[in-house]
Amino acid sequence: MAKKRVPKGKIIVSFLAIFISIVLITSVANRVISMIHAKRQYEQLVAQRDALKKERKNLDQEVKELNNDDYVVRYARDNYIFSKDGEKAVIVPEE
């Protein structure tokens, strides 16, 4: 059997085409990975924003309540053993 000789030019062009293909595929893969990371980061930031909005709403409500004198007195009585005139506060130890 006689072997056919492939011209060097075709071999060089083939290797060059393979190299360019690998470079292009790698570039596309890197961009896809970057987009996936950016999407995950965006979703985390949206969740963080939503949590901060909820926290702000709660804090705004608390500020409104703290402007109410009855609420402040009730809160102080419940949490800081604040007593009215003539009352005595007794702390009962927890078991």
Side-chain angles (χ1 to χ4, degrees):
M1 285 183 132
K3 292 184 178 181
K4 288 187 178 180
R5 291 191 53 117
V6 179
K8 286 186 179 183
K10 284 187 177 183
I11 293 175
I12 292 173
V13 169
S14 297
F15 280 121
L16 188 60
I18 291 171
F19 176 75
I20 291 172
S21 297
I22 290 171
V23 168
L24 291 175
I25 290 171
T26 304
S27 175
V28 169
N30 285 336
R31 288 184 185 222
V32 168
I33 290 170
S34 295
M35 287 176 56
I36 290 170
H37 288 303
K39 185 177 180 183
R40 285 183 187 159
Q41 185 179 15
Y42 173 78
E43 291 170 353
Q44 289 174 349
L45 290 172
V46 167
Q48 184 180 7
R49 181 200 65 192
D50 293 342
L52 289 172
K53 281 184 177 181
K54 184 177 180 181
E55 183 180 356
R56 179 172 182 148
K57 183 179 177 182
N58 292 338
L59 290 173
D60 287 341
Q61 181 64 33
E62 188 174 344
V63 166
K64 283 182 184 179
E65 291 173 349
L66 288 173
N67 287 327
N68 180 346
D69 291 337
D70 293 333
Y71 175 80
V72 172
V73 170
R74 188 174 62 245
Y75 186 84
R77 288 177 61 92
D78 291 344
N79 295 304
Y80 298 108
I81 312 168
F82 183 74
S83 61
K84 293 181 181 178
D85 291 335
E87 286 184 337
K88 291 184 180 178
V90 179
I91 300 173
V92 179
E94 295 181 26
E95 293 185 38

